[in-house]
mmCIF file of all heavy atoms in Angstrom:
data_model
loop_
_atom_site.group_PDB
_atom_site.id
_atom_site.type_symbol
_atom_site.label_atom_id
_atom_site.label_comp_id
_atom_site.label_asym_id
_atom_site.label_seq_id
_atom_site.Cartn_x
_atom_site.Cartn_y
_atom_site.Cartn_z
ATOM 1 N N THR A 1 15.949 5.001 18.592
ATOM 2 C CA THR A 1 17.131 4.257 18.176
ATOM 3 C C THR A 1 16.844 2.987 17.509
ATOM 4 O O THR A 1 17.721 2.276 16.987
ATOM 5 C CB THR A 1 17.972 4.030 19.468
ATOM 6 O OG1 THR A 1 17.241 3.222 20.405
ATOM 7 C CG2 THR A 1 18.333 5.333 20.141
ATOM 8 N N LEU A 2 15.589 2.574 17.528
ATOM 9 C CA LEU A 2 15.182 1.309 16.858
ATOM 10 C C LEU A 2 13.753 1.427 16.332
ATOM 11 O O LEU A 2 12.883 2.090 16.887
ATOM 12 C CB LEU A 2 15.247 0.176 17.889
ATOM 13 C CG LEU A 2 14.982 -1.366 17.298
ATOM 14 C CD1 LEU A 2 16.102 -1.663 16.428
ATOM 15 C CD2 LEU A 2 14.752 -2.285 18.419
ATOM 16 N N GLU A 3 13.534 0.795 15.267
ATOM 17 C CA GLU A 3 12.200 0.792 14.585
ATOM 18 C C GLU A 3 11.078 0.516 15.579
ATOM 19 O O GLU A 3 11.109 -0.483 16.312
ATOM 20 C CB GLU A 3 12.194 -0.304 13.498
ATOM 21 C CG GLU A 3 10.857 -0.487 12.797
ATOM 22 C CD GLU A 3 10.775 -1.598 11.820
ATOM 23 O OE1 GLU A 3 11.801 -2.452 11.774
ATOM 24 O OE2 GLU A 3 9.761 -1.739 11.185
ATOM 25 N N PRO A 4 10.074 1.405 15.538
ATOM 26 C CA PRO A 4 8.814 1.146 16.478
ATOM 27 C C PRO A 4 8.241 -0.088 16.098
ATOM 28 O O PRO A 4 8.012 -0.452 14.899
ATOM 29 C CB PRO A 4 7.963 2.325 16.195
ATOM 30 C CG PRO A 4 8.935 3.408 15.645
ATOM 31 C CD PRO A 4 9.953 2.662 14.935
ATOM 32 N N CYS A 5 7.771 -0.864 17.169
ATOM 33 C CA CYS A 5 7.104 -2.156 16.894
ATOM 34 C C CYS A 5 5.688 -1.922 16.209
ATOM 35 O O CYS A 5 5.079 -0.879 16.469
ATOM 36 C CB CYS A 5 7.017 -3.022 18.143
ATOM 37 S SG CYS A 5 5.982 -2.107 19.471
ATOM 38 N N SER A 6 5.189 -2.956 15.439
ATOM 39 C CA SER A 6 4.000 -2.898 14.849
ATOM 40 C C SER A 6 3.113 -4.145 15.320
ATOM 41 O O SER A 6 2.045 -4.272 14.699
ATOM 42 C CB SER A 6 4.185 -3.004 13.353
ATOM 43 O OG SER A 6 4.918 -4.148 13.004
ATOM 44 N N HIS A 7 3.508 -4.787 16.289
ATOM 45 C CA HIS A 7 2.790 -5.996 16.656
ATOM 46 C C HIS A 7 2.398 -5.881 18.323
ATOM 47 O O HIS A 7 3.013 -5.059 18.965
ATOM 48 C CB HIS A 7 3.561 -7.365 16.511
ATOM 49 C CG HIS A 7 4.678 -7.359 17.377
ATOM 50 N ND1 HIS A 7 5.840 -6.529 17.342
ATOM 51 C CD2 HIS A 7 4.961 -8.243 18.438
ATOM 52 C CE1 HIS A 7 6.771 -6.973 18.232
ATOM 53 N NE2 HIS A 7 6.209 -7.959 18.965
ATOM 54 N N THR A 8 1.426 -6.645 18.785
ATOM 55 C CA THR A 8 1.082 -6.544 20.136
ATOM 56 C C THR A 8 1.788 -7.810 20.750
ATOM 57 O O THR A 8 1.552 -8.866 20.444
ATOM 58 C CB THR A 8 -0.510 -6.676 20.318
ATOM 59 O OG1 THR A 8 -1.089 -5.597 19.694
ATOM 60 C CG2 THR A 8 -0.840 -6.793 21.728
ATOM 61 N N GLY A 9 2.707 -7.366 21.704
ATOM 62 C CA GLY A 9 3.484 -8.356 22.545
ATOM 63 C C GLY A 9 3.003 -8.187 23.903
ATOM 64 O O GLY A 9 1.763 -8.298 24.300
ATOM 65 N N LYS A 10 4.014 -7.950 24.869
ATOM 66 C CA LYS A 10 3.683 -7.563 26.153
ATOM 67 C C LYS A 10 3.059 -6.122 26.281
ATOM 68 O O LYS A 10 2.508 -5.794 27.303
ATOM 69 C CB LYS A 10 4.938 -7.740 27.070
ATOM 70 C CG LYS A 10 5.282 -9.181 27.294
ATOM 71 C CD LYS A 10 6.359 -9.242 28.222
ATOM 72 C CE LYS A 10 6.843 -10.687 28.456
ATOM 73 N NZ LYS A 10 5.830 -11.434 29.057
ATOM 74 N N THR A 11 3.186 -5.281 25.202
ATOM 75 C CA THR A 11 2.695 -3.929 25.116
ATOM 76 C C THR A 11 2.071 -3.698 23.894
ATOM 77 O O THR A 11 2.370 -4.396 22.869
ATOM 78 C CB THR A 11 3.758 -2.920 25.402
ATOM 79 O OG1 THR A 11 4.848 -3.064 24.425
ATOM 80 C CG2 THR A 11 4.442 -3.118 26.717
ATOM 81 N N PRO A 12 1.212 -2.654 23.696
ATOM 82 C CA PRO A 12 0.600 -2.482 22.342
ATOM 83 C C PRO A 12 1.521 -1.890 21.393
ATOM 84 O O PRO A 12 2.712 -1.378 21.753
ATOM 85 C CB PRO A 12 -0.477 -1.331 22.692
ATOM 86 C CG PRO A 12 -0.631 -1.436 24.206
ATOM 87 C CD PRO A 12 0.653 -1.882 24.713
ATOM 88 N N PRO A 13 1.288 -1.886 20.078
ATOM 89 C CA PRO A 13 2.290 -1.483 19.009
ATOM 90 C C PRO A 13 2.565 -0.012 19.157
ATOM 91 O O PRO A 13 1.774 0.936 19.332
ATOM 92 C CB PRO A 13 1.485 -1.645 17.689
ATOM 93 C CG PRO A 13 0.393 -2.680 18.132
ATOM 94 C CD PRO A 13 -0.021 -2.364 19.449
ATOM 95 N N CYS A 14 3.883 0.429 19.142
ATOM 96 C CA CYS A 14 4.295 1.686 19.214
ATOM 97 C C CYS A 14 3.979 2.543 17.975
ATOM 98 O O CYS A 14 3.895 3.715 18.037
ATOM 99 C CB CYS A 14 5.854 1.804 19.493
ATOM 100 S SG CYS A 14 6.155 1.255 21.203
ATOM 101 N N ALA A 15 3.938 1.788 16.869
ATOM 102 C CA ALA A 15 3.585 2.440 15.578
ATOM 103 C C ALA A 15 2.177 3.038 15.709
ATOM 104 O O ALA A 15 1.880 4.116 15.212
ATOM 105 C CB ALA A 15 3.640 1.505 14.407
ATOM 106 N N ASP A 16 1.313 2.322 16.265
ATOM 107 C CA ASP A 16 -0.044 2.779 16.452
ATOM 108 C C ASP A 16 -0.079 4.047 17.298
ATOM 109 O O ASP A 16 -0.862 5.002 17.061
ATOM 110 C CB ASP A 16 -0.995 1.719 17.092
ATOM 111 C CG ASP A 16 -1.342 0.578 16.081
ATOM 112 O OD1 ASP A 16 -0.838 0.716 14.959
ATOM 113 O OD2 ASP A 16 -1.996 -0.346 16.433
ATOM 114 N N LEU A 17 0.757 4.030 18.360
ATOM 115 C CA LEU A 17 0.778 5.267 19.347
ATOM 116 C C LEU A 17 1.168 6.492 18.447
ATOM 117 O O LEU A 17 0.662 7.593 18.693
ATOM 118 C CB LEU A 17 1.798 4.908 20.410
ATOM 119 C CG LEU A 17 2.014 6.220 21.315
ATOM 120 C CD1 LEU A 17 0.862 6.529 22.108
ATOM 121 C CD2 LEU A 17 3.216 5.854 22.283
ATOM 122 N N ILE A 18 2.177 6.345 17.654
ATOM 123 C CA ILE A 18 2.664 7.547 16.906
ATOM 124 C C ILE A 18 1.677 7.952 15.985
ATOM 125 O O ILE A 18 1.424 9.191 15.820
ATOM 126 C CB ILE A 18 3.901 7.066 16.033
ATOM 127 C CG1 ILE A 18 5.160 6.792 16.981
ATOM 128 C CG2 ILE A 18 4.326 8.067 14.954
ATOM 129 C CD1 ILE A 18 6.264 6.113 16.321
ATOM 130 N N LEU A 19 0.898 7.017 15.400
ATOM 131 C CA LEU A 19 -0.199 7.569 14.387
ATOM 132 C C LEU A 19 -1.239 8.086 15.247
ATOM 133 O O LEU A 19 -1.927 9.165 14.807
ATOM 134 C CB LEU A 19 -0.613 6.285 13.680
ATOM 135 C CG LEU A 19 0.248 5.687 12.744
ATOM 136 C CD1 LEU A 19 -0.351 4.438 12.045
ATOM 137 C CD2 LEU A 19 0.800 6.664 11.649
ATOM 138 N N ASP A 20 -1.672 7.598 16.419
ATOM 139 C CA ASP A 20 -2.760 8.079 17.268
ATOM 140 C C ASP A 20 -2.445 9.499 17.666
ATOM 141 O O ASP A 20 -3.291 10.357 17.760
ATOM 142 C CB ASP A 20 -2.960 7.219 18.488
ATOM 143 C CG ASP A 20 -4.027 7.742 19.297
ATOM 144 O OD1 ASP A 20 -5.234 7.561 18.959
ATOM 145 O OD2 ASP A 20 -3.714 8.220 20.502
ATOM 146 N N ARG A 21 -1.160 9.782 17.982
ATOM 147 C CA ARG A 21 -0.733 11.212 18.443
ATOM 148 C C ARG A 21 -0.497 12.150 17.202
ATOM 149 O O ARG A 21 0.012 13.249 17.300
ATOM 150 C CB ARG A 21 0.392 11.139 19.360
ATOM 151 C CG ARG A 21 0.136 10.332 20.612
ATOM 152 C CD ARG A 21 -1.006 10.990 21.499
ATOM 153 N NE ARG A 21 -1.031 10.407 22.810
ATOM 154 C CZ ARG A 21 -1.513 9.308 23.193
ATOM 155 N NH1 ARG A 21 -2.122 8.460 22.402
ATOM 156 N NH2 ARG A 21 -1.542 8.946 24.497
ATOM 157 N N LYS A 22 -0.605 11.612 16.005
ATOM 158 C CA LYS A 22 -0.371 12.383 14.770
ATOM 159 C C LYS A 22 1.093 12.973 14.644
ATOM 160 O O LYS A 22 1.186 14.139 14.146
ATOM 161 C CB LYS A 22 -1.419 13.465 14.642
ATOM 162 C CG LYS A 22 -2.859 12.866 14.545
ATOM 163 C CD LYS A 22 -3.881 13.942 14.325
ATOM 164 C CE LYS A 22 -5.292 13.355 14.070
ATOM 165 N NZ LYS A 22 -5.798 12.290 14.962
ATOM 166 N N ILE A 23 1.957 12.285 15.193
ATOM 167 C CA ILE A 23 3.364 12.711 14.970
ATOM 168 C C ILE A 23 3.817 12.564 13.513
ATOM 169 O O ILE A 23 3.807 11.479 12.997
ATOM 170 C CB ILE A 23 4.373 11.897 15.954
ATOM 171 C CG1 ILE A 23 3.817 12.042 17.425
ATOM 172 C CG2 ILE A 23 5.756 12.223 15.800
ATOM 173 C CD1 ILE A 23 4.511 11.128 18.448
ATOM 174 N N PRO A 24 4.122 13.603 12.925
ATOM 175 C CA PRO A 24 4.316 13.689 11.414
ATOM 176 C C PRO A 24 5.708 13.135 10.908
ATOM 177 O O PRO A 24 5.859 12.707 9.698
ATOM 178 C CB PRO A 24 4.287 15.171 11.036
ATOM 179 C CG PRO A 24 4.630 15.817 12.359
ATOM 180 C CD PRO A 24 4.379 14.954 13.474
ATOM 181 N N ARG A 25 6.719 13.103 11.769
ATOM 182 C CA ARG A 25 8.005 12.765 11.275
ATOM 183 C C ARG A 25 8.784 11.809 12.308
ATOM 184 O O ARG A 25 8.724 12.093 13.505
ATOM 185 C CB ARG A 25 8.922 13.913 11.039
ATOM 186 C CG ARG A 25 10.324 13.619 10.547
ATOM 187 C CD ARG A 25 10.989 14.910 9.962
ATOM 188 N NE ARG A 25 12.258 14.619 9.403
ATOM 189 C CZ ARG A 25 13.416 14.896 9.829
ATOM 190 N NH1 ARG A 25 13.522 15.725 10.972
ATOM 191 N NH2 ARG A 25 14.585 14.515 9.254
ATOM 192 N N VAL A 26 9.456 10.810 11.844
ATOM 193 C CA VAL A 26 10.110 9.890 12.746
ATOM 194 C C VAL A 26 11.434 9.604 12.083
ATOM 195 O O VAL A 26 11.623 9.368 10.969
ATOM 196 C CB VAL A 26 9.254 8.520 12.907
ATOM 197 C CG1 VAL A 26 10.149 7.552 13.776
ATOM 198 C CG2 VAL A 26 7.977 8.762 13.571
ATOM 199 N N VAL A 27 12.493 9.691 12.996
ATOM 200 C CA VAL A 27 13.830 9.471 12.579
ATOM 201 C C VAL A 27 14.354 8.182 13.381
ATOM 202 O O VAL A 27 14.275 8.209 14.612
ATOM 203 C CB VAL A 27 14.756 10.673 12.919
ATOM 204 C CG1 VAL A 27 16.211 10.282 12.544
ATOM 205 C CG2 VAL A 27 14.399 11.926 12.160
ATOM 206 N N ILE A 28 14.799 7.153 12.704
ATOM 207 C CA ILE A 28 15.085 5.894 13.207
ATOM 208 C C ILE A 28 16.556 5.466 12.908
ATOM 209 O O ILE A 28 17.001 5.609 11.843
ATOM 210 C CB ILE A 28 14.105 4.779 12.624
ATOM 211 C CG1 ILE A 28 12.612 5.089 12.916
ATOM 212 C CG2 ILE A 28 14.474 3.377 13.172
ATOM 213 C CD1 ILE A 28 11.615 4.264 12.117
ATOM 214 N N ALA A 29 17.256 5.053 13.910
ATOM 215 C CA ALA A 29 18.672 4.624 13.639
ATOM 216 C C ALA A 29 18.676 3.458 12.743
ATOM 217 O O ALA A 29 19.406 3.452 11.806
ATOM 218 C CB ALA A 29 19.317 4.343 15.008
ATOM 219 N N HIS A 30 17.901 2.393 13.112
ATOM 220 C CA HIS A 30 17.932 1.131 12.220
ATOM 221 C C HIS A 30 16.619 0.316 12.287
ATOM 222 O O HIS A 30 15.992 0.424 13.378
ATOM 223 C CB HIS A 30 19.201 0.379 12.330
ATOM 224 C CG HIS A 30 19.391 -0.266 13.648
ATOM 225 N ND1 HIS A 30 18.835 -1.599 13.893
ATOM 226 C CD2 HIS A 30 19.812 0.063 14.855
ATOM 227 C CE1 HIS A 30 19.044 -1.900 15.167
ATOM 228 N NE2 HIS A 30 19.712 -0.977 15.719
ATOM 229 N N ALA A 31 16.452 -0.452 11.356
ATOM 230 C CA ALA A 31 15.228 -1.346 11.379
ATOM 231 C C ALA A 31 15.523 -2.509 12.404
ATOM 232 O O ALA A 31 16.611 -2.850 12.767
ATOM 233 C CB ALA A 31 14.903 -1.957 10.005
ATOM 234 N N ASP A 32 14.378 -3.008 12.933
ATOM 235 C CA ASP A 32 14.391 -4.146 13.888
ATOM 236 C C ASP A 32 14.387 -5.377 13.185
ATOM 237 O O ASP A 32 13.456 -5.659 12.429
ATOM 238 C CB ASP A 32 13.184 -3.924 14.904
ATOM 239 C CG ASP A 32 13.302 -5.008 16.033
ATOM 240 O OD1 ASP A 32 13.996 -6.008 15.939
ATOM 241 O OD2 ASP A 32 12.503 -4.765 16.974
ATOM 242 N N PRO A 33 15.394 -6.246 13.264
ATOM 243 C CA PRO A 33 15.408 -7.554 12.538
ATOM 244 C C PRO A 33 14.528 -8.608 13.175
ATOM 245 O O PRO A 33 14.387 -9.715 12.611
ATOM 246 C CB PRO A 33 16.913 -7.950 12.566
ATOM 247 C CG PRO A 33 17.421 -7.498 13.802
ATOM 248 C CD PRO A 33 16.643 -6.116 13.979
ATOM 249 N N PHE A 34 14.050 -8.409 14.349
ATOM 250 C CA PHE A 34 13.214 -9.358 15.024
ATOM 251 C C PHE A 34 11.990 -9.696 14.113
ATOM 252 O O PHE A 34 11.300 -8.773 13.515
ATOM 253 C CB PHE A 34 12.597 -8.875 16.335
ATOM 254 C CG PHE A 34 11.943 -9.811 17.202
ATOM 255 C CD1 PHE A 34 12.341 -11.060 17.542
ATOM 256 C CD2 PHE A 34 10.550 -9.497 17.513
ATOM 257 C CE1 PHE A 34 11.557 -11.894 18.295
ATOM 258 C CE2 PHE A 34 9.733 -10.323 18.315
ATOM 259 C CZ PHE A 34 10.336 -11.615 18.613
ATOM 260 N N SER A 35 11.625 -10.948 14.017
ATOM 261 C CA SER A 35 10.733 -11.452 12.930
ATOM 262 C C SER A 35 9.337 -10.896 13.148
ATOM 263 O O SER A 35 8.668 -10.589 12.171
ATOM 264 C CB SER A 35 10.502 -12.990 13.051
ATOM 265 O OG SER A 35 10.225 -13.400 14.315
ATOM 266 N N GLU A 36 8.940 -10.461 14.333
ATOM 267 C CA GLU A 36 7.685 -9.917 14.491
ATOM 268 C C GLU A 36 7.488 -8.428 14.077
ATOM 269 O O GLU A 36 6.456 -7.877 13.936
ATOM 270 C CB GLU A 36 7.196 -9.956 15.971
ATOM 271 C CG GLU A 36 6.985 -11.509 16.424
ATOM 272 C CD GLU A 36 5.854 -12.152 15.839
ATOM 273 O OE1 GLU A 36 4.924 -11.366 15.447
ATOM 274 O OE2 GLU A 36 5.793 -13.321 15.592
ATOM 275 N N VAL A 37 8.741 -7.930 13.922
ATOM 276 C CA VAL A 37 8.810 -6.391 13.352
ATOM 277 C C VAL A 37 9.299 -6.364 12.001
ATOM 278 O O VAL A 37 8.420 -6.194 10.968
ATOM 279 C CB VAL A 37 9.646 -5.557 14.321
ATOM 280 C CG1 VAL A 37 9.475 -4.173 13.982
ATOM 281 C CG2 VAL A 37 9.205 -5.801 15.808
ATOM 282 N N ALA A 38 10.621 -6.511 11.848
ATOM 283 C CA ALA A 38 11.315 -6.731 10.488
ATOM 284 C C ALA A 38 10.756 -5.752 9.451
ATOM 285 O O ALA A 38 10.398 -6.215 8.362
ATOM 286 C CB ALA A 38 11.124 -8.154 10.110
ATOM 287 N N GLY A 39 10.819 -4.411 9.720
ATOM 288 C CA GLY A 39 10.370 -3.442 8.759
ATOM 289 C C GLY A 39 8.879 -3.138 8.649
ATOM 290 O O GLY A 39 8.423 -2.134 7.980
#
């Protein structure tokens, strides 16, 4: 429902998890406007 994060905060980046598991397709409701993510 929201863009996977790409930065390390309280947890590791979810974008890295998706790439690590080689998930080929991602459907996202909308981008995250938070400055640490933001596309």
